[in-house]
Short mmCIF file of all heavy atoms in Angstrom, two decimals:
data_model
loop_
_atom_site.label_atom_id
_atom_site.label_comp_id
_atom_site.label_asym_id
_atom_site.label_seq_id
_atom_site.Cartn_x
_atom_site.Cartn_y
_atom_site.Cartn_z
N GLU A 237 0.83 -1.20 0.00
CA GLU A 237 0.00 0.00 0.00
C GLU A 237 0.87 1.26 0.00
O GLU A 237 0.66 2.17 -0.78
CB GLU A 237 -0.92 0.01 1.22
CG GLU A 237 -1.90 1.16 1.25
CD GLU A 237 -2.82 1.17 0.04
OE1 GLU A 237 -3.30 0.08 -0.35
OE2 GLU A 237 -3.05 2.26 -0.52
N THR A 238 1.87 1.30 0.87
CA THR A 238 2.79 2.43 0.91
C THR A 238 3.98 2.22 -0.01
O THR A 238 4.55 3.19 -0.53
CB THR A 238 3.27 2.65 2.36
OG1 THR A 238 2.14 2.85 3.20
CG2 THR A 238 4.17 3.86 2.46
N SER A 239 4.36 0.98 -0.23
CA SER A 239 5.50 0.65 -1.09
C SER A 239 5.05 0.28 -2.50
O SER A 239 5.68 -0.53 -3.17
CB SER A 239 6.29 -0.50 -0.47
OG SER A 239 5.43 -1.60 -0.18
N GLU A 240 3.99 0.89 -2.95
CA GLU A 240 3.38 0.58 -4.24
C GLU A 240 4.34 0.76 -5.41
O GLU A 240 4.29 0.03 -6.40
CB GLU A 240 2.17 1.49 -4.43
CG GLU A 240 1.46 1.40 -5.75
CD GLU A 240 0.34 2.42 -5.80
OE1 GLU A 240 0.60 3.58 -6.21
OE2 GLU A 240 -0.78 2.05 -5.43
N ARG A 241 5.23 1.75 -5.31
CA ARG A 241 6.12 2.09 -6.42
C ARG A 241 7.54 1.57 -6.21
O ARG A 241 8.49 2.15 -6.71
CB ARG A 241 6.14 3.61 -6.62
CG ARG A 241 4.77 4.26 -6.80
CD ARG A 241 4.07 3.76 -8.04
NE ARG A 241 2.70 4.23 -8.14
CZ ARG A 241 2.28 5.18 -8.97
NH1 ARG A 241 3.14 5.79 -9.75
NH2 ARG A 241 1.01 5.52 -9.01
N GLN A 242 7.68 0.49 -5.47
CA GLN A 242 9.01 -0.06 -5.20
C GLN A 242 9.11 -1.52 -5.65
O GLN A 242 8.10 -2.22 -5.74
CB GLN A 242 9.33 0.06 -3.71
CG GLN A 242 9.37 1.50 -3.24
CD GLN A 242 9.88 1.65 -1.84
OE1 GLN A 242 10.83 0.99 -1.43
NE2 GLN A 242 9.26 2.54 -1.06
N MET A 243 10.36 -1.94 -5.89
CA MET A 243 10.64 -3.32 -6.29
C MET A 243 11.68 -3.91 -5.33
O MET A 243 12.49 -3.18 -4.77
CB MET A 243 11.20 -3.39 -7.71
CG MET A 243 10.37 -2.73 -8.78
SD MET A 243 10.97 -3.07 -10.45
CE MET A 243 12.69 -2.53 -10.36
N MET A 244 11.64 -5.22 -5.20
CA MET A 244 12.69 -5.91 -4.44
C MET A 244 13.50 -6.77 -5.42
O MET A 244 12.99 -7.21 -6.45
CB MET A 244 12.09 -6.77 -3.33
CG MET A 244 11.05 -7.78 -3.77
SD MET A 244 10.27 -8.59 -2.34
CE MET A 244 9.17 -9.73 -3.18
N VAL A 245 14.76 -6.93 -5.07
CA VAL A 245 15.70 -7.67 -5.93
C VAL A 245 16.21 -8.86 -5.13
O VAL A 245 16.80 -8.69 -4.05
CB VAL A 245 16.87 -6.75 -6.36
CG1 VAL A 245 17.86 -7.54 -7.22
CG2 VAL A 245 16.34 -5.54 -7.12
N TYR A 246 16.00 -10.06 -5.66
CA TYR A 246 16.29 -11.29 -4.93
C TYR A 246 17.42 -12.06 -5.61
O TYR A 246 17.46 -12.18 -6.84
CB TYR A 246 15.03 -12.15 -4.87
CG TYR A 246 15.17 -13.45 -4.10
CD1 TYR A 246 15.64 -13.49 -2.80
CD2 TYR A 246 14.78 -14.66 -4.70
CE1 TYR A 246 15.75 -14.69 -2.11
CE2 TYR A 246 14.87 -15.87 -4.01
CZ TYR A 246 15.36 -15.87 -2.71
OH TYR A 246 15.46 -17.06 -2.03
N PHE A 247 18.34 -12.56 -4.78
CA PHE A 247 19.44 -13.40 -5.25
C PHE A 247 19.18 -14.81 -4.72
O PHE A 247 19.58 -15.14 -3.59
CB PHE A 247 20.77 -12.86 -4.74
CG PHE A 247 21.05 -11.44 -5.16
CD1 PHE A 247 20.63 -10.37 -4.37
CD2 PHE A 247 21.72 -11.17 -6.33
CE1 PHE A 247 20.88 -9.06 -4.75
CE2 PHE A 247 21.98 -9.86 -6.72
CZ PHE A 247 21.56 -8.81 -5.93
N PRO A 248 18.52 -15.67 -5.50
CA PRO A 248 18.06 -16.96 -4.97
C PRO A 248 19.18 -17.87 -4.51
O PRO A 248 19.01 -18.63 -3.53
CB PRO A 248 17.28 -17.57 -6.14
CG PRO A 248 17.73 -16.83 -7.35
CD PRO A 248 18.09 -15.47 -6.90
N GLU A 249 20.33 -17.82 -5.18
CA GLU A 249 21.43 -18.72 -4.81
C GLU A 249 22.02 -18.35 -3.45
O GLU A 249 22.67 -19.19 -2.81
CB GLU A 249 22.51 -18.69 -5.89
CG GLU A 249 22.05 -19.17 -7.26
CD GLU A 249 21.59 -20.62 -7.22
OE1 GLU A 249 22.22 -21.43 -6.50
OE2 GLU A 249 20.59 -20.94 -7.90
N HIS A 250 21.83 -17.12 -3.03
CA HIS A 250 22.43 -16.64 -1.79
C HIS A 250 21.39 -16.35 -0.71
O HIS A 250 21.76 -15.93 0.40
CB HIS A 250 23.26 -15.38 -2.05
CG HIS A 250 24.24 -15.52 -3.16
ND1 HIS A 250 25.30 -16.40 -3.10
CD2 HIS A 250 24.31 -14.91 -4.38
CE1 HIS A 250 26.01 -16.31 -4.23
NE2 HIS A 250 25.42 -15.42 -5.02
N ARG A 251 20.10 -16.54 -1.05
CA ARG A 251 19.01 -16.22 -0.12
C ARG A 251 19.16 -14.80 0.44
O ARG A 251 18.98 -14.53 1.62
CB ARG A 251 18.96 -17.24 1.02
CG ARG A 251 18.68 -18.66 0.52
CD ARG A 251 18.51 -19.65 1.64
NE ARG A 251 18.11 -20.96 1.11
CZ ARG A 251 17.83 -22.02 1.85
NH1 ARG A 251 17.92 -21.93 3.19
NH2 ARG A 251 17.48 -23.15 1.31
N LEU A 252 19.47 -13.93 -0.47
CA LEU A 252 19.78 -12.53 -0.16
C LEU A 252 18.76 -11.65 -0.85
O LEU A 252 18.44 -11.85 -2.04
CB LEU A 252 21.19 -12.19 -0.64
CG LEU A 252 21.69 -10.76 -0.48
CD1 LEU A 252 21.84 -10.40 1.00
CD2 LEU A 252 23.04 -10.60 -1.21
N LEU A 253 18.25 -10.62 -0.15
CA LEU A 253 17.23 -9.75 -0.71
C LEU A 253 17.64 -8.29 -0.58
O LEU A 253 18.05 -7.84 0.50
CB LEU A 253 15.89 -9.95 0.03
CG LEU A 253 14.72 -9.12 -0.50
CD1 LEU A 253 14.14 -9.77 -1.77
CD2 LEU A 253 13.63 -8.95 0.55
N TYR A 254 17.52 -7.55 -1.68
CA TYR A 254 17.61 -6.09 -1.63
C TYR A 254 16.19 -5.57 -1.58
O TYR A 254 15.40 -5.80 -2.50
CB TYR A 254 18.35 -5.55 -2.85
CG TYR A 254 18.42 -4.04 -2.88
CD1 TYR A 254 19.33 -3.37 -2.07
CD2 TYR A 254 17.59 -3.29 -3.70
CE1 TYR A 254 19.41 -1.99 -2.08
CE2 TYR A 254 17.65 -1.90 -3.71
CZ TYR A 254 18.57 -1.27 -2.90
OH TYR A 254 18.64 0.10 -2.90
N GLY A 255 15.83 -4.87 -0.51
CA GLY A 255 14.44 -4.51 -0.26
C GLY A 255 14.05 -3.11 -0.66
O GLY A 255 13.03 -2.60 -0.18
N SER A 256 14.83 -2.44 -1.51
CA SER A 256 14.56 -1.06 -1.92
C SER A 256 14.65 -0.12 -0.73
O SER A 256 15.71 -0.05 -0.09
CB SER A 256 13.21 -0.95 -2.63
OG SER A 256 13.04 0.35 -3.17
N ASP A 257 13.53 0.53 -0.33
CA ASP A 257 13.63 1.58 0.68
C ASP A 257 12.31 1.86 1.37
O ASP A 257 11.99 3.01 1.65
CB ASP A 257 14.14 2.86 0.01
CG ASP A 257 14.73 3.85 0.99
OD1 ASP A 257 15.04 3.45 2.12
OD2 ASP A 257 14.85 5.03 0.61
N PRO A 258 11.50 0.87 1.70
CA PRO A 258 10.20 1.16 2.29
C PRO A 258 10.25 1.58 3.75
O PRO A 258 9.28 2.14 4.26
CB PRO A 258 9.43 -0.14 2.12
CG PRO A 258 10.47 -1.20 2.08
CD PRO A 258 11.65 -0.57 1.41
N PHE A 259 11.33 1.29 4.46
CA PHE A 259 11.42 1.67 5.87
C PHE A 259 12.87 1.95 6.23
O PHE A 259 13.79 1.69 5.46
CB PHE A 259 10.83 0.57 6.78
CG PHE A 259 11.41 -0.80 6.55
CD1 PHE A 259 12.58 -1.22 7.17
CD2 PHE A 259 10.77 -1.69 5.70
CE1 PHE A 259 13.10 -2.48 6.95
CE2 PHE A 259 11.29 -2.97 5.47
CZ PHE A 259 12.46 -3.35 6.10
N GLN A 260 13.05 2.51 7.43
CA GLN A 260 14.37 2.90 7.90
C GLN A 260 14.69 2.17 9.21
O GLN A 260 13.80 1.66 9.89
CB GLN A 260 14.43 4.40 8.14
CG GLN A 260 13.98 5.22 6.97
CD GLN A 260 14.88 5.07 5.77
OE1 GLN A 260 16.08 5.27 5.88
NE2 GLN A 260 14.31 4.71 4.64
N ARG A 261 15.96 2.17 9.56
CA ARG A 261 16.37 1.64 10.86
C ARG A 261 16.76 2.79 11.76
O ARG A 261 17.60 3.62 11.42
CB ARG A 261 17.54 0.66 10.71
CG ARG A 261 18.00 0.09 12.06
CD ARG A 261 18.77 -1.21 11.91
NE ARG A 261 19.84 -1.11 10.96
CZ ARG A 261 20.45 -2.18 10.42
NH1 ARG A 261 20.04 -3.39 10.73
NH2 ARG A 261 21.41 -2.02 9.54
N ARG A 262 16.14 2.83 12.93
CA ARG A 262 16.46 3.87 13.90
C ARG A 262 17.79 3.59 14.58
O ARG A 262 18.36 2.49 14.44
CB ARG A 262 15.36 3.95 14.96
CG ARG A 262 14.01 4.47 14.47
CD ARG A 262 13.08 4.56 15.66
NE ARG A 262 11.85 5.27 15.36
CZ ARG A 262 10.65 4.77 15.58
NH1 ARG A 262 10.52 3.53 16.05
NH2 ARG A 262 9.57 5.48 15.31
N GLN A 263 18.26 4.59 15.33
CA GLN A 263 19.54 4.43 16.02
C GLN A 263 19.50 3.32 17.06
O GLN A 263 20.52 2.70 17.35
CB GLN A 263 19.95 5.75 16.68
CG GLN A 263 20.34 6.83 15.68
CD GLN A 263 20.83 8.09 16.35
OE1 GLN A 263 20.65 8.29 17.54
NE2 GLN A 263 21.48 8.95 15.58
N ASP A 264 18.31 3.05 17.63
CA ASP A 264 18.22 1.98 18.63
C ASP A 264 18.08 0.60 18.00
O ASP A 264 17.91 -0.39 18.71
CB ASP A 264 17.06 2.25 19.59
CG ASP A 264 15.70 2.24 18.89
OD1 ASP A 264 15.63 1.95 17.67
OD2 ASP A 264 14.69 2.51 19.56
N GLY A 265 18.12 0.53 16.67
CA GLY A 265 18.04 -0.74 15.98
C GLY A 265 16.65 -1.14 15.56
O GLY A 265 16.49 -2.10 14.79
N SER A 266 15.61 -0.43 16.00
CA SER A 266 14.25 -0.74 15.59
C SER A 266 14.01 -0.22 14.17
O SER A 266 14.77 0.60 13.65
CB SER A 266 13.25 -0.13 16.57
OG SER A 266 13.36 1.29 16.57
N PHE A 267 12.93 -0.69 13.58
CA PHE A 267 12.63 -0.31 12.20
C PHE A 267 11.37 0.57 12.16
O PHE A 267 10.41 0.34 12.89
CB PHE A 267 12.40 -1.55 11.34
CG PHE A 267 13.61 -2.42 11.23
CD1 PHE A 267 13.73 -3.57 12.01
CD2 PHE A 267 14.65 -2.10 10.37
CE1 PHE A 267 14.84 -4.38 11.93
CE2 PHE A 267 15.77 -2.91 10.27
CZ PHE A 267 15.87 -4.04 11.06
N PHE A 268 11.43 1.58 11.28
CA PHE A 268 10.31 2.50 11.15
C PHE A 268 9.99 2.69 9.66
O PHE A 268 10.89 2.94 8.87
CB PHE A 268 10.67 3.84 11.78
CG PHE A 268 9.52 4.79 11.76
CD1 PHE A 268 8.52 4.68 12.71
CD2 PHE A 268 9.41 5.77 10.78
CE1 PHE A 268 7.44 5.53 12.69
CE2 PHE A 268 8.34 6.61 10.75
CZ PHE A 268 7.35 6.50 11.72
N TYR A 269 8.73 2.45 9.27
CA TYR A 269 7.69 2.20 10.24
C TYR A 269 7.10 0.81 10.00
O TYR A 269 7.23 0.27 8.91
CB TYR A 269 6.66 3.31 10.25
CG TYR A 269 5.88 3.59 8.99
CD1 TYR A 269 4.53 3.29 8.92
CD2 TYR A 269 6.46 4.21 7.88
CE1 TYR A 269 3.78 3.57 7.82
CE2 TYR A 269 5.72 4.48 6.77
CZ TYR A 269 4.39 4.17 6.73
OH TYR A 269 3.65 4.46 5.62
N PRO A 270 6.40 0.22 11.00
CA PRO A 270 6.01 -1.19 10.94
C PRO A 270 5.13 -1.55 9.75
O PRO A 270 5.22 -2.66 9.23
CB PRO A 270 5.27 -1.40 12.26
CG PRO A 270 5.84 -0.37 13.18
CD PRO A 270 6.12 0.82 12.32
N GLN A 271 4.28 -0.63 9.30
CA GLN A 271 3.39 -0.92 8.17
C GLN A 271 4.20 -1.37 6.96
O GLN A 271 3.88 -2.38 6.31
CB GLN A 271 2.57 0.33 7.82
CG GLN A 271 1.83 0.25 6.49
CD GLN A 271 0.73 -0.79 6.47
OE1 GLN A 271 0.13 -1.08 7.49
NE2 GLN A 271 0.45 -1.36 5.30
N THR A 272 5.25 -0.64 6.63
CA THR A 272 6.02 -0.98 5.43
C THR A 272 6.91 -2.19 5.65
O THR A 272 7.28 -2.88 4.70
CB THR A 272 6.84 0.23 4.96
OG1 THR A 272 7.50 0.82 6.09
CG2 THR A 272 5.94 1.26 4.31
N VAL A 273 7.27 -2.45 6.92
CA VAL A 273 8.00 -3.69 7.21
C VAL A 273 7.12 -4.88 6.85
O VAL A 273 7.57 -5.83 6.19
CB VAL A 273 8.41 -3.75 8.69
CG1 VAL A 273 9.03 -5.11 9.01
CG2 VAL A 273 9.40 -2.63 9.03
N THR A 274 5.85 -4.82 7.23
CA THR A 274 4.95 -5.93 6.90
C THR A 274 4.72 -6.05 5.40
O THR A 274 4.56 -7.16 4.87
CB THR A 274 3.59 -5.76 7.60
OG1 THR A 274 2.94 -4.58 7.14
CG2 THR A 274 3.76 -5.68 9.11
N GLU A 275 4.74 -4.92 4.69
CA GLU A 275 4.53 -4.98 3.25
C GLU A 275 5.66 -5.72 2.54
O GLU A 275 5.43 -6.51 1.62
CB GLU A 275 4.38 -3.56 2.69
CG GLU A 275 3.09 -2.89 3.12
CD GLU A 275 2.95 -1.47 2.63
OE1 GLU A 275 3.78 -1.05 1.78
OE2 GLU A 275 2.03 -0.76 3.07
N LEU A 276 6.90 -5.48 2.98
CA LEU A 276 8.02 -6.20 2.39
C LEU A 276 7.96 -7.68 2.77
O LEU A 276 8.18 -8.56 1.92
CB LEU A 276 9.34 -5.58 2.85
CG LEU A 276 10.60 -6.21 2.24
CD1 LEU A 276 10.63 -6.03 0.73
CD2 LEU A 276 11.86 -5.62 2.87
N MET A 277 7.64 -7.96 4.01
CA MET A 277 7.54 -9.36 4.45
C MET A 277 6.42 -10.09 3.70
O MET A 277 6.58 -11.25 3.28
CB MET A 277 7.30 -9.42 5.96
CG MET A 277 8.46 -8.89 6.79
SD MET A 277 8.11 -8.89 8.56
CE MET A 277 8.00 -10.65 8.89
N ASP A 278 5.30 -9.42 3.51
CA ASP A 278 4.19 -10.03 2.79
C ASP A 278 4.57 -10.33 1.34
O ASP A 278 4.16 -11.36 0.77
CB ASP A 278 2.97 -9.11 2.82
CG ASP A 278 2.33 -9.02 4.20
OD1 ASP A 278 2.66 -9.87 5.06
OD2 ASP A 278 1.51 -8.10 4.42
N ALA A 279 5.33 -9.43 0.72
CA ALA A 279 5.75 -9.65 -0.67
C ALA A 279 6.66 -10.87 -0.78
O ALA A 279 6.58 -11.65 -1.74
CB ALA A 279 6.46 -8.40 -1.20
N VAL A 280 7.53 -11.03 0.21
CA VAL A 280 8.42 -12.20 0.22
C VAL A 280 7.61 -13.49 0.34
O VAL A 280 7.86 -14.48 -0.35
CB VAL A 280 9.45 -12.07 1.35
CG1 VAL A 280 10.17 -13.40 1.60
CG2 VAL A 280 10.46 -10.97 1.03
N VAL A 281 6.62 -13.48 1.22
CA VAL A 281 5.76 -14.66 1.37
C VAL A 281 4.97 -14.92 0.10
O VAL A 281 4.86 -16.07 -0.37
CB VAL A 281 4.81 -14.47 2.58
CG1 VAL A 281 3.78 -15.59 2.63
CG2 VAL A 281 5.60 -14.41 3.87
#
């Protein structure tokens, strides 16, 4: 919904994903914001 105009790039041999830029990592290590974290996870599933 928020990451409508983004693509992810997957390297199947390495199980490595480039997730574009739907969310950021804060200084405390948490991710912002959760909505777009779920959108990337849902796309992977």
Side-chain angles (χ1 to χ4, degrees):
E237 185 60 42
T238 303
S239 52
E240 176 183 88
R241 305 298 173 105
Q242 298 189 40
M243 305 189 305
M244 55 187 182
V245 178
Y246 182 53
F247 302 89
E249 299 298 322
H250 308 296
R251 298 185 174 183
L252 177 66
L253 182 79
Y254 178 77
S256 187
D257 199 17
F259 53 86
Q260 307 295 306
R261 180 159 51 197
R262 291 184 170 126
Q263 291 184 344
D264 64 4
S266 63
F267 297 100
F268 184 79
Y269 61 110
Q271 168 66 29
T272 46
V273 174
T274 63
E275 290 178 10
L276 183 63
M277 294 177 67
D278 290 346
V280 167
V281 172

